[in-house]
Amino acid sequence: MSRVSVITGGAGGMGLATAKVVGVDHSVVLCDVRQERLDASADTLKELGVAVTIVNADVTDRQAVARLFDTAAGLGTVASVIHTAGVSPSMGDADYVMRTNALGTLNVNEVFHASANEGAAIVNVASMAAHMLPEELIPTAHFPTALTDESAFMTAMLAACDIAGEEARSGIAYAVSKSFVRWYSTAQCERFNGRGLRIVSVSPGSIDTEMGRLEEQAGAGAMVADAAVPRWGKPEEMGDLLAFCASAKAGYLTGTDILNDGGVVASMKERARVAAQG
């Protein structure tokens, strides 16, 4: 049977870039909510000789995610999932950002855990924002609630976004939601390993995609300029990393987060250290 890789957010820049890599030796199932972009991405992949199937599904809908995995399983053995689906602060209010990024990740990962065969891997996309929010502002104690009471989880997460004014709530929700993705990908690794599965997260910096550029005027542009590598990351650079993390070559890699941000976080921390001494 064919080895299948599921890519959520497959119509986006990082998702498509990853599909081009994994599609060399896997059948690819692209999932997104934007049908026109899905169709265009599928055409691009078919021109490259990739066997691709598209599924229009919202990751915040657990039943839709289950149907996505059923489709993938009908094509062969699901070897990997690259979960790039997510939204940025400029794309909606705090509830929308939290629901998409946190609960969407929960849905995709929990269905994967329940259905994947031994040896499969899932790679979640977090963010450098998860490395920048002060720990005291991250409601980590409430993160496990997502697994038992999603309503209570959302209430606690949105309460954590009230630390700043209304204008900042979406940005805080983004950082908190991506902190949840990072936490989940480490905290659940032993449970996943119990079924012979790997789980990893990758935290991109500012990547030159449609979604990445939405945040250019909201501070990302300045962070790029101050990075150790002062440029925007390329979708292809993220695609290669995500594909590697999902591959058999990374068979020892699980329960961790990989920060790939051009040195933004490292540079900011060092400048803060020097300024504090001065």
Side-chain angles (χ1 to χ4, degrees):
M1 292 183 73
S2 175
R3 290 172 62 78
V4 180
S5 182
V6 177
I7 302 178
T8 69
M14 283 193 292
L16 179 58
T18 307
K20 291 177 181 178
V21 181
V22 299
V24 171
D25 53 6
H26 289 70
S27 296
V28 173
V29 177
L30 288 189
C31 162
D32 210 292
V33 292
R34 299 169 296 176
Q35 189 63 46
E36 288 186 7
R37 293 285 300 273
L38 262 180
D39 291 336
S41 296
D43 289 342
T44 297
L45 292 172
K46 288 174 182 175
E47 290 175 3
L48 297 173
V50 176
V52 58
T53 300
I54 58 175
V55 176
N56 190 316
D58 184 346
V59 296
T60 65
D61 181 343
R62 180 75 68 98
Q63 291 183 331
V65 172
R67 290 192 294 271
L68 164 67
F69 277 83
D70 286 343
T71 297
L75 299 170
T77 301
V78 177
S80 61
V81 176
I82 296 99
H83 176 51
T84 78
V87 294
S88 68
S90 297
M91 296 171 71
D93 63 15
D95 182 272
Y96 174 68
V97 171
M98 188 67 65
R99 197 169 297 279
T100 303
N101 292 350
L103 293 185
T105 295
L106 182 75
N107 288 339
V108 171
N109 281 260
E110 289 299 315
V111 174
F112 169 79
H113 178 268
S115 62
N117 293 319
E118 184 175 352
I122 187 163
V123 184
N124 297 307
V125 173
S127 169
M128 69 176 176
H131 293 258
M132 298 171 71
L133 194 64
E135 285 192 18
E136 59 269 22
L137 300 182
I138 304 173
T140 309
H142 294 285
F143 283 170
T145 313
L147 293 157
T148 56
D149 188 338
E150 291 184 9
S151 178
F153 170 77
M154 284 295 294
T155 298
M157 294 305 103
L158 293 176
C161 299
D162 292 336
I163 58 170
E166 186 63 31
E167 290 185 2
R169 289 190 86 242
S170 289
I172 298 296
Y174 180 79
V176 170
S177 67
K178 292 299 189 177
S179 295
F180 172 79
V181 175
R182 184 184 172 199
W183 170 85
Y184 182 96
S185 302
T186 56
Q188 303 305 308
C189 88
E190 188 171 5
R191 181 165 68 98
F192 275 58
N193 185 63
R195 296 201 65 249
L197 307 172
R198 291 192 300 111
I199 178 171
V200 178
S201 64
V202 172
S203 287
S206 296
I207 308 301
D208 193 4
T209 63
E210 178 188 30
M211 192 173 93
R213 288 289 182 175
L214 282 176
E215 304 306 316
E216 186 170 8
Q217 302 306 316
M223 285 191 285
V224 168
D226 289 338
V229 181
R231 64 168 173 82
W232 288 75
K234 300 173 184 176
E236 294 77 15
E237 291 170 322
M238 286 306 307
D240 283 333
L241 176 58
L242 292 168
F244 170 76
C245 290
S247 74
K249 293 180 180 178
Y252 198 53
L253 186 69
T254 193
T256 193
D257 178 83
I258 298 173
L259 177 61
N260 189 25
D261 68 339
V264 169
V265 172
S267 298
M268 290 179 66
K269 286 183 176 179
E270 178 60 12
R271 285 198 300 272
R273 184 192 67 79
V274 171
Q277 287 185 332

